[in-house]
Amino acid sequence: MLEILVCEDRKVTENLYKSLGLEYKEEYLAIRAMAGEECLGFALFLIEEKTETVFAVEPKNDRMLADGLLRSALHVGCERGITAAFFAGDDYMELYEKINFIDDKETKKLKLQNLFTDCCSCKKE
């Protein structure tokens, strides 16, 4: 059974950030897609007050899993009171475009309203 949960182990979270060469800070968060003990993918993000910043979604070459991970990360943010979400850097812009989650490229704003839509963008090429 696949479970997508917030990673409570700070060392595991730190290692996920470091595995991508990303800086890690104690307030940074991660969710993981777990099949038993196997990690199939993860999303790395930060929630500050009313804003969420997504740093990474892996594996970015599996659009359906990446879509689910991004939705899960944004859902965690919404449950914690965010009103806006953004992505950091450009490494995942192509993925976010393919799954139709970019609201504004210039500000790197993500579409929170996509949490309430079907995952139909995953099948588009």
Side-chain angles (χ1 to χ4, degrees):
M1 178 159 97
L2 181 68
E3 290 184 294
I4 299 178
L5 301 168
V6 175
C7 182
E8 301 295 340
D9 186 323
R10 302 309 305 160
K11 192 65 178 164
V12 170
T13 300
E14 179 179 3
N15 288 337
L16 291 173
Y17 278 84
K18 289 182 175 182
S19 75
L20 297 177
L22 297 174
E23 175 187 16
Y24 172 75
K25 295 181 181 177
E26 191 173 308
E27 62 270 18
Y28 287 2
L29 300 166
I31 57 164
R32 298 185 297 161
M34 302 296 294
E37 295 296 313
E38 181 184 5
C39 180
L40 302 176
F42 56 89
L44 308 176
F45 58 100
L46 170 66
I47 297 171
E48 292 181 299
E49 297 180 21
K50 300 283 186 189
T51 303
E52 180 170 348
T53 303
V54 179
F55 301 114
V57 179
E58 290 291 336
K60 63 182 170 183
N61 62 350
D62 183 338
R63 276 192 269 173
M64 290 188 76
L65 180 56
D67 183 276
L69 287 163
L70 180 59
R71 287 172 187 267
S72 296
L74 294 175
H75 179 75
V76 168
C78 287
E79 286 193 333
R80 296 182 185 189
I82 68 160
T83 56
F86 301 88
F87 61 95
D90 295 329
D91 291 347
Y92 297 86
M93 187 180 299
E94 183 178 345
L95 168 65
Y96 302 147
E97 284 180 316
K98 285 181 180 177
I99 61 175
N100 192 31
F101 257 93
I102 295 181
D103 190 22
D104 185 333
K105 276 186 182 181
E106 284 187 37
T107 63
K108 299 184 178 186
K109 188 173 185 182
L110 294 168
K111 293 180 184 177
L112 283 180
Q113 67 269 24
N114 276 15
L115 289 176
F116 309 104
T117 64
D118 288 336
C119 176
C120 58
S121 299
C122 294
K123 296 176 184 150
K124 295 178 185 174
E125 200 48 45

